[in-house]
Amino acid sequence: MPSQYPITMKNLSPSSLFLLSFLFIQSISAQGQSIQEELFVSIGGIEQWITIKGKDRSNPVVLFLHGGPGSTASPYAEAIFGDREEDFTLVQWDQRGAGRTFGRNAPENVDEDYWIENPLTVDQMAADGIEVAEYLLEKLGKEKIILTGSSWGSVLGAKMALQRPDLFYAYIGHAQIVNPGEDLKAVYENVLSISNENQDQESVAILEKLGPPPYDNARNTGQLMRVIKKHERENSVPAPEEWRKPAPEYDNETDARNRENGDDYSFIHYAGHAPLGISGMNASVDLSKDGLDFLIPVYLIQGQEDLLTPTEINKAFFDKINAPEKEYVIVPEAAHGFNKAVVDMHFSLLKSRILPLINQ
């Protein structure tokens, strides 16, 4: 539908003309040039690890937000996403408290004092993500980028898209989290019911000992997560085995230690841990109240066998979303994490739904 006020060269301001000219020149000069960069960038007052890879710098840019919160994707990205670098410039970011970013900023001997004195917050990490997006726009000469987040990354993705829609063409959420503090109660009851139905007495005993959430100890949350994953594996297709091996440059003792320590540090701040006086980030998230009005298209990908962020919860959230365009896609035989069908669906949406928006 034509705009009521069509953009022409006559009604553009001199500054707008300059910006359009700059972006056009950047786009032309970038065509055919590949990019393979791995570097620390000053984000949010600390150095954070970012990788940028693609066969053609003029291609659209996709920023991936990993889950966890500490489960970095950069060591595995080449195996999972490498064949998509023909069509997109793919960006991985080790978030504050994760992977190489954690290793760069934490002392060599991490103790509980560091965890307490350096808390993670949703607001800070969303602000980091926005700064990463702004850095990419300037570095790559782009007007906007595509945003996608998985699990914990879907919290950051939604927050970033809501706060700064001007930076993004669209948002793709996978295993979308809505209100983890409350939703985990329903997840617990569902998993307990499944355990009873399957006569899985070991899981029933663990769950009954834990009792229903909320928990004030991250170890209890971790035990519940392990039971959830156990049942998800029973009915889903796993990721290919080669996706689990880090790339050679990450396959060393230092990176392995940083991934492990960052994962523990991030999870404790996500789940909360009263013995250390750490409040969980999960209690501060409720997208059903403050995440319904998007100014960009929203696409949610959901594994049919996902027990941690189940369909009945995030589909109800999706139905309430206001967005210029939205779609909810269920992937059969997929659980909470990535498998090949989920990744294929990501790129199917990128090509069939988002590229046409960019090329308009």
Side-chain angles (χ1 to χ4, degrees):
M1 180 177 179
S3 169
Q4 185 179 357
Y5 302 103
I7 296 176
T8 69
M9 297 295 284
K10 292 181 180 180
N11 62 23
L12 284 173
S13 67
S15 61
S16 297
L17 283 170
F18 175 80
L19 177 60
L20 286 174
S21 299
F22 172 76
L23 292 172
F24 177 74
I25 292 170
Q26 289 282 95
S27 175
I28 294 298
S29 63
Q31 287 182 4
Q33 296 180 12
S34 65
I35 183 168
Q36 298 283 322
E37 293 196 14
E38 302 178 323
L39 70 166
F40 284 102
V41 179
S42 179
I43 299 292
I46 64 171
E47 290 193 305
Q48 303 200 33
W49 181 251
I50 294 173
T51 69
I52 309 171
K53 298 184 179 183
K55 302 298 184 184
D56 189 335
R57 293 171 65 113
S58 66
N59 282 336
V61 177
V62 183
L63 171 58
F64 288 88
L65 305 175
H66 65 70
S71 302
T72 55
S74 51
Y76 316 99
E78 198 66 32
I80 300 173
F81 307 115
D83 60 343
R84 317 299 173 139
E85 293 173 10
E86 291 287 343
D87 302 303
F88 301 93
T89 297
L90 306 181
V91 179
Q92 306 294 336
W93 161 44
D94 286 13
Q95 298 160 20
R96 181 182 296 260
R100 287 191 172 178
T101 297
F102 179 83
R104 187 75 158 194
N105 296 284
E108 185 173 348
N109 296 313
V110 180
D111 58 20
E112 293 177 349
D113 287 340
Y114 177 81
W115 294 5
I116 297 167
E117 294 166 5
N118 295 273
L120 293 178
T121 69
V122 176
D123 288 345
Q124 175 65 71
M125 296 180 73
D128 286 350
I130 288 169
E131 196 171 337
V132 170
E134 291 173 331
Y135 166 80
L136 294 171
L137 295 182
E138 181 177 357
K139 180 176 180 63
L140 300 173
K142 299 295 185 181
E143 184 180 0
K144 296 182 180 183
I145 64 175
I146 303 162
L147 183 64
T148 180
S150 178
S151 188
W152 156 256
S154 74
V155 173
L156 293 189
K159 294 282 187 181
M160 290 163 61
L162 289 161
Q163 292 175 27
R164 290 296 305 276
D166 57 302
L167 302 177
F168 309 111
Y169 286 114
Y171 165 60
I172 301 177
H174 165 245
Q176 181 69 52
I177 290 174
V178 181
N179 179 0
E182 285 298 312
D183 295 345
L184 203 59
K185 297 175 184 178
V187 170
Y188 170 90
E189 295 298 336
N190 186 36
V191 174
L192 179 58
S193 175
I194 291 171
S195 299
N196 278 309
E197 289 173 9
N198 293 349
Q199 297 184 348
D200 180 359
Q201 297 306 318
E202 180 182 4
S203 294
V204 170
I206 291 171
L207 293 172
E208 289 184 342
K209 183 177 180 180
L210 287 173
Y215 307 124
D216 63 1
N217 189 309
R219 293 185 180 87
N220 292 350
T221 306
Q223 284 186 287
L224 174 57
M225 297 293 185
R226 284 190 286 275
V227 175
I228 291 169
K229 289 179 181 179
K230 174 184 177 181
H231 286 299
E232 285 189 337
R233 285 193 296 267
E234 293 169 355
N235 299 300
S236 61
V237 175
E241 191 61 36
E242 58 267 26
W243 288 11
R244 305 177 192 278
K245 182 174 176 56
E249 62 268 31
Y250 293 92
D251 194 8
N252 57 74
E253 185 178 339
T254 298
D255 277 308
R257 182 178 65 250
N258 289 333
R259 287 195 297 273
E260 183 177 352
N261 287 341
D263 201 23
D264 289 345
Y265 165 81
S266 298
F267 182 73
I268 277 181
H269 281 281
Y270 175 74
H273 196 61
L276 295 179
I278 295 174
S279 300
M281 290 190 289
N282 60 357
S284 68
V285 176
D286 187 359
L287 294 178
S288 65
K289 289 184 177 179
D290 56 16
L292 299 177
D293 295 313
F294 289 82
L295 297 180
I296 60 174
V298 174
Y299 307 95
L300 297 189
I301 300 172
Q302 175 65 21
Q304 191 172 36
E305 305 301 331
D306 185 341
L307 298 177
L308 182 57
T309 55
T311 302
E312 55 265 28
I313 289 176
N314 56 31
K315 179 58 165 64
F317 164 70
F318 171 84
D319 289 341
K320 296 177 183 177
I321 287 176
N322 299 308
E325 179 174 307
K326 65 178 187 175
E327 185 173 352
Y328 187 93
V329 183
I330 296 178
V331 180
E333 298 184 306
H336 184 72
F338 280 164
N339 67 5
K340 189 175 185 305
V342 169
V343 173
D344 287 347
M345 181 55 67
H346 264 94
F347 285 92
S348 175
L349 287 173
L350 284 168
K351 282 192 163 186
S352 66
R353 304 303 294 271
I354 299 177
L355 282 185
L357 293 175
I358 296 174
N359 295 328
Q360 282 181 355

